[in-house]
Amino acid sequence: MPSVDSVQKIIPVLHVGFHKAASTTLQHGLFGRHSDIAVLGEPRQDPSAMEALRGAMWSCHRHPAERKEFDIERGRRLWREAMDRVPPGKVPLFSKESLTRCWFYRDPGDPSLPMKLHSVIGPARIVIMARHQIRLLESLYITRTKGPGYQSAEDWFETNKGGPTHFCRYHAVAQSFADAFGRENVAIFLLEDLQDNAAAFAERLCDFIGIDPAQGVTLIRHERRNVRTSHRHHVYSRLRKQWGPSGSFSKFLPEPIRGALLNFIASGRGAEVKLPAHCIAEIESYCRDDNRQLVEKWGLPLAKYKYPL
């Protein structure tokens, strides 16, 4: 349990993403199982907390037709309802990668959503997970194009230029949250640090959140959730696209055979993909200056993991 001093300083925590940066591992392996945490977002959403923050998110949608009116008093009331259900001594933690979904920002440094979140929930600590931008986009591509929505890597990149492919400027996002919640209340953590030394990663994260680090180390040491789509599934998705609307022949098979085939397709080594060279060059150019700010102002070891610098 947190110490008496830490209990007096307990404030909510928002884990805001990014997507494809160990969110599922943290949500199910650590946040959902740590005895010092009261989960408000994933993996067990509190409906009042979710509705409170959803109102702030959708009021910031970059497309006017999708944008909703922001009712700050309703948001505050719903957040208080969620806080009232938090057991004494536990850290309220809301985890949702959609808090850094590109559609809720005009650009990565847009302060609108962080400011509205602060106006609803008040003081909070912000956890941001970052990942090498090329590796993140490769993983995102594999996830978004499995099944009937398959596209080639180049087509997917070009289709999403106005969205997720050009949003991973982590310093710009972190600075907008720091302006809203205070620099001392924002921390950036690297997926690569988790992969390299899970125990040290867990200790730093738990210390920032204000929960028992020893328990956190035990919980996360061997965790790995949301394993990448299989190579077979990725190939099958490409073939289905080539075969056209009738490409899913498995639906014509008897159920036992169909199940065995789909299990086979889903198993095996993870899919690997390499973005075209010109796409990689474009992303590296887009992220380079922002990454340098992460090194200079946040002290992150990006060179160790070969981030674009």
Side-chain angles (χ1 to χ4, degrees), residues 15-303:
H15 165 232
V16 301
F18 277 63
H19 48 204
K20 311 312 294 182
S23 295
T24 305
T25 294
L26 294 179
Q27 290 161 351
H28 292 266
L30 178 61
F31 302 155
R33 297 195 294 160
H34 200 294
S35 63
D36 293 344
I37 290 177
V39 174
L40 300 180
E42 300 291 352
R44 299 183 298 275
Q45 293 185 23
D46 180 286
S48 298
M50 185 65 244
E51 189 62 24
L53 300 197
R54 183 185 287 118
M57 288 189 286
W58 283 90
S59 73
C60 295
H61 203 290
R62 66 170 66 169
H63 297 307
E66 301 290 338
R67 198 174 300 147
K68 311 296 182 184
E69 184 176 353
F70 181 47
D71 187 339
I72 185 172
E73 292 306 323
R74 179 175 182 270
R76 288 172 174 171
R77 174 177 56 79
L78 288 166
W79 185 255
R80 285 195 300 269
E81 290 177 4
M83 291 297 99
D84 288 343
R85 291 191 285 269
V86 173
K90 290 187 179 288
V91 176
L93 193 150
F94 186 93
S95 175
K96 197 75 175 175
E97 310 95 293
S98 52
L99 288 169
T100 47
R101 190 182 179 196
C102 61
W103 308 117
F104 298 131
Y105 297 80
R106 294 188 299 269
D107 57 69
D110 181 7
S112 302
L113 180 54
M115 291 295 183
K116 287 184 178 181
L117 292 171
H118 185 269
S119 72
V120 170
I121 70 178
R125 293 190 176 98
I126 309 300
V127 172
I128 298 173
M129 283 293 297
R131 180 180 185 179
H132 189 293
Q133 286 94 348
I134 303 302
R135 305 291 86 78
L136 183 148
L137 290 175
E138 289 171 348
S139 180
L140 185 64
Y141 160 71
I142 290 170
T143 299
R144 294 282 176 87
T145 59
K146 65 182 179 182
Y150 178 82
Q151 292 178 284
S152 70
E154 183 164 11
D155 287 347
W156 177 82
F157 183 86
E158 294 298 328
T159 301
N160 286 278
K161 269 192 174 183
T165 63
H166 288 66
F167 192 71
C168 299
R169 285 179 169 171
Y170 305 123
H171 166 68
V173 174
Q175 188 59 54
S176 70
F177 277 94
D179 290 343
F181 290 90
R183 173 64 178 79
E184 71 282 4
N185 290 318
V186 178
I188 306 172
F189 299 85
L190 301 180
L191 170 69
E192 294 82 4
D193 278 341
L194 170 60
Q195 296 170 331
D196 187 51
N197 188 332
F201 172 93
E203 287 180 356
R204 179 173 171 247
L205 176 59
C206 292
D207 282 342
F208 177 72
I209 293 174
I211 57 177
D212 176 31
Q215 184 183 158
V217 169
T218 300
L219 291 172
I220 207 171
R221 179 173 282 135
H222 302 297
E223 278 293 317
R224 185 168 178 239
R225 306 286 183 110
N226 200 17
V227 177
R228 176 176 285 200
T229 299
S230 74
H231 171 72
R232 293 168 184 159
H233 196 163
H234 188 64
V235 171
Y236 178 61
S237 298
R238 185 177 71 244
L239 293 175
R240 284 188 62 182
K241 184 74 171 183
Q242 293 173 351
W243 293 334
S246 60
S248 181
F249 63 86
S250 64
K251 62 186 177 183
F252 300 109
L253 298 174
E255 184 57 37
I257 298 177
R258 179 175 182 272
L261 174 63
L262 294 179
N263 286 337
F264 174 78
I265 290 172
S267 63
R269 65 182 175 89
E272 296 180 5
V273 65
K274 189 172 182 61
L275 294 174
H278 73 90
C279 300
I280 292 175
E282 184 174 329
I283 292 300
E284 288 179 342
S285 176
Y286 176 79
C287 297
R288 186 170 286 113
D289 288 344
D290 189 86
N291 284 349
R292 290 169 180 166
Q293 294 293 309
L294 291 175
V295 174
E296 178 182 342
K297 297 184 178 179
W298 300 83
L300 296 177
L302 301 193

